[in-house]
Amino acid sequence: MIGAQALVGSLVGAGVDVCFMNPGTSEMHFVAALDSVPQMRGVLALFEGVATGAADGYARMVGRPAAVLLHLGPGLANGLANLHNARRARSPVVNIVGAHATGHVRYDAPLQSDIEALARTVSGWVHTCGTTRDLAQDAMRAVAAAGSGQIATLVLPADVSWSDGGALAPPRPAARPESVHGDQISAAADVLSDGAAAILLLGGKALTERGLRAASRISAATGARLLAETFPARMERGAGVPVVDRLAYLAEQAEAQLTALDHLILAGARAPVSFFAYPGQRSDLVPAGCSVTVLADDDHDVEAALELLADRLAAGTAPVLAGAATSLTAISLANAIAASLPEHAIVADEANTSGFALPAALACAPRHTLLTLTGGSIGQGLPVATGAAVAAPDRPVLCLEADGSALYTIQALWTQAREQLNVTTVLINNAAYAILRMELARTAAGEPGQRASRMLDLSDPTPGFTQISKGLGVPATCVTTAEDLDEALRRAYAEPGPHLIEAIVPLVVPPSSGTAW
Ligand SMILES: Cc1ncc(C[n+]2csc(CCOP(=O)(O)OP(=O)(O)O)c2C)c(N)n1
Ligand SMILES: [Mg+2]
């Protein structure tokens, strides 16, 4: 057995059965070994940065290393940038760099360079193989070293690879992450129990579903806010997983997120620093006077630590999970409207606060004409849509109508029914004069008490919009998810005559509504 065969066979035995590569002459025996060890999947990349970046992505997803095969110093240099990213992701990578045969080195042939020096810039473990007999053992040490979340670079002289005398080596036991000491759990529990403003900053394995669920329980029980590190290597998101915002990239936005903070607890994340330095700006983003407590660092079993802390502080408390992605929000509403819009529609927009996402969503929708509330006198959407449908009977009319505004001129529906106009009304029900709630605050009119709040609230009783619509002769349906809205819109466009779709939406505070009424 030659060295390359022992190397590839041992890698496969240790579970490293994918190798991303861009080989050259000095790696030819490794390439040839792919035929004698077919369990190793060789994946050719046309630039070394593709091979190293692919190994990073592979490791992030399966949690064990892929191998990379690179061609001497220049090949390694081409792969360094994505090895740098892999190092920051704490991805395990077994990085094999072919080198000139031992006896060829003294001639300083053109491709000769200091491979180890290059490798050290990104690797936590570097070794140049000395003998064919030890090659597979060296590889197993590299796999074990990579397993703790680092790049292990094995420099492989061509003669060590091509010579006889190779022997398979068994895998070494993988290092397990350290358990967090009980004192660290207690320290975090104490800090989180004192009632002051706290953020649990999550990074690394804290962003698995298991970590996020435990963190969410802690947050629900203690009131601590959750934030994720700015650039996670891997984070679970979406329906059924707790919603956790990421720390902002721009330092001034991150400072705003961390403002008035008393305690920062780190779970697999580092204390935040700004990405770059700027003249006169602080690099350390931890606010003055804020305590920093490490629950678990990179080498620790952060998922277990979060669960222990959750059991201590939040026994019986469930995590808060994101609803189905299809729940109606101003954004999913806008996306559903844009996705289903027919060609050459006329859109009458009186969606008010629920419509802030419409301009962006409709920008690339099928060609349409937009009619908006020109004079700020609400109750215009339903009548304008009615007149537009009379004017352009061949074009579908979509009326986006907020509930409060609808109630000024709801009897326009009767005219639509009488004239059998092709108007589809999405009646956006947020059960409030939402904009006026905002304006109350913006005009410094003070905190609304119960009596003032009643002037801005459209519940008690809640208008039965589908009944009103049917009573005025327009078939109506009510939806609460984006999928149902999409389906109801498509059905309404397909059938002649007017339709009303009541969309139940949560109150939104638009990020920046320039509109004032
Ligand atoms: C004729 C008229 N009356 C009253 C107002 C004051 N006003 C502005 S917005 C608003 C409520 C809007 O509520 P809604 O249509 O439900 O939209 P939301 O703010 O809830 O998105 C009112 C009463 C107005 N602009 N025009
Ligand atoms: Mg409203």
Side-chain angles (χ1 to χ4, degrees):
M1 184 184 291
I2 66 166
Q5 290 166 329
L7 168 62
V8 176
S10 301
L11 287 173
V12 166
V16 181
D17 55 5
V18 172
C19 182
F20 299 98
M21 62 177 74
N22 189 267
T25 304
S26 38
E27 294 79 44
M28 285 297 107
H29 289 81
F30 188 113
V31 171
L34 294 177
D35 285 320
S36 48
V37 189
Q39 298 91 332
M40 175 65 85
R41 178 174 174 191
V43 179
L44 178 64
L46 304 184
F47 173 69
E48 293 82 351
V50 177
T52 54
D56 181 16
Y58 178 94
R60 291 190 202 192
M61 291 315 299
V62 299
R64 56 172 207 278
V68 172
L69 181 67
L70 304 174
H71 183 50
L72 296 105
L76 172 57
N78 277 347
L80 277 181
N82 276 335
L83 285 174
H84 161 82
N85 289 325
R87 181 177 88 87
R88 285 293 173 175
R90 293 187 61 85
S91 291
V93 177
V94 175
N95 181 36
I96 299 165
V97 185
H100 281 318
T102 322
H104 194 61
V105 170
R106 67 173 180 276
Y107 299 108
D108 195 26
L111 272 165
Q112 181 65 35
S113 68
D114 189 345
I115 297 174
E116 284 202 3
L118 282 171
R120 272 194 204 95
T121 60
V122 292
S123 313
W125 185 97
V126 179
H127 178 74
T128 299
C129 304
T131 65
T132 303
R133 192 195 56 221
D134 294 336
L135 171 54
Q137 298 280 0
D138 291 342
M140 294 304 93
R141 289 196 294 131
V143 174
S148 60
Q150 58 184 351
I151 291 146
T153 298
L154 188 63
V155 183
L156 174 56
D159 55 332
V160 173
S161 184
W162 73 47
S163 298
D164 279 327
L168 291 174
R172 293 177 169 242
R176 297 200 158 274
E178 267 174 66
S179 297
V180 167
H181 199 273
D183 291 350
Q184 273 167 279
I185 309 277
S186 300
D190 289 348
V191 161
L192 285 164
S193 305
D194 76 1
I199 285 181
L200 191 52
L201 185 64
L202 308 170
K205 293 277 188 300
L207 299 172
T208 61
E209 180 173 4
R210 191 179 147 204
L212 288 165
R213 288 177 74 96
S216 174
R217 290 172 57 208
I218 296 164
S219 167
T222 64
R225 281 161 54 210
L226 302 179
L227 270 183
E229 61 189 343
T230 310
F231 294 114
R234 176 179 171 165
M235 177 177 184
E236 292 305 309
R237 303 209 70 218
V241 177
V243 181
V244 176
D245 284 341
R246 285 155 59 182
L247 187 71
Y249 164 71
L250 292 179
E252 48 275 34
Q253 289 176 359
E255 271 169 357
Q257 287 172 300
L258 300 173
T259 193
L261 189 64
D262 299 310
H263 303 305
L264 183 66
I265 297 98
L266 303 175
R270 298 191 183 180
V273 295
S274 72
F275 209 87
F276 292 106
Y278 297 90
Q281 304 287 319
R282 293 179 61 217
S283 293
D284 180 356
L285 297 179
V286 179
C290 173
S291 78
V292 178
T293 306
V294 179
L295 171 68
D297 65 26
D298 285 346
D299 297 322
H300 285 120
D301 187 345
V302 60
E303 289 164 294
L306 284 166
E307 281 178 346
L308 285 171
L309 188 59
D311 291 345
R312 174 95 60 103
L313 294 172
T317 304
V320 181
L321 307 179
T326 53
S327 63
L328 262 187
T329 62
I331 290 173
S332 64
L333 176 110
N335 289 340
I337 285 166
S340 57
L341 196 72
E343 272 299 333
H344 295 299
I346 298 166
V347 179
D349 178 6
E350 195 173 19
N352 297 351
T353 58
S354 304
F356 77 83
L358 283 166
L362 286 172
C364 298
R367 175 71 187 268
H368 59 279
T369 303
L370 180 67
L371 311 176
T372 75
L373 173 61
T374 47
S377 177
I378 62 172
Q380 159 268 15
L382 288 166
V384 160
T386 305
V390 171
D394 298 334
R395 297 180 63 179
V397 177
L398 173 65
C399 177
L400 305 172
E401 186 64 32
D403 51 353
S405 300
L407 287 167
Y408 284 68
T409 46
I410 194 90
Q411 63 276 45
L413 292 174
W414 182 87
T415 304
Q416 293 176 12
R418 153 73 61 97
E419 301 297 325
Q420 278 302 291
L421 303 176
N422 290 326
V423 181
T424 300
T425 298
V426 179
L427 197 142
I428 305 166
N429 184 353
N430 61 8
Y433 283 165
I435 188 74
L436 296 186
R437 293 189 182 207
M438 260 176 60
E439 295 296 11
L440 198 89
R442 292 179 70 222
T443 53
E447 278 297 304
Q450 216 188 353
R451 292 164 62 80
S453 292
R454 263 173 71 77
M455 298 303 110
L456 312 178
D457 172 64
L458 298 182
S459 63
D460 186 26
T462 304
F465 285 106
T466 57
Q467 288 141 285
I468 295 171
S469 182
K470 286 177 190 167
L472 291 170
V474 174
T477 181
C478 180
V479 298
T480 55
T481 69
E483 269 159 17
D484 287 351
L485 174 60
D486 181 83
E487 201 191 309
L489 280 166
R490 290 177 198 272
R491 227 179 310 121
Y493 294 136
E495 276 176 19
H499 294 82
L500 182 137
I501 304 161
E502 180 183 9
I504 309 289
V505 298
L507 277 177
V508 290
V509 177
S512 64
S513 167
T515 322
W517 285 276

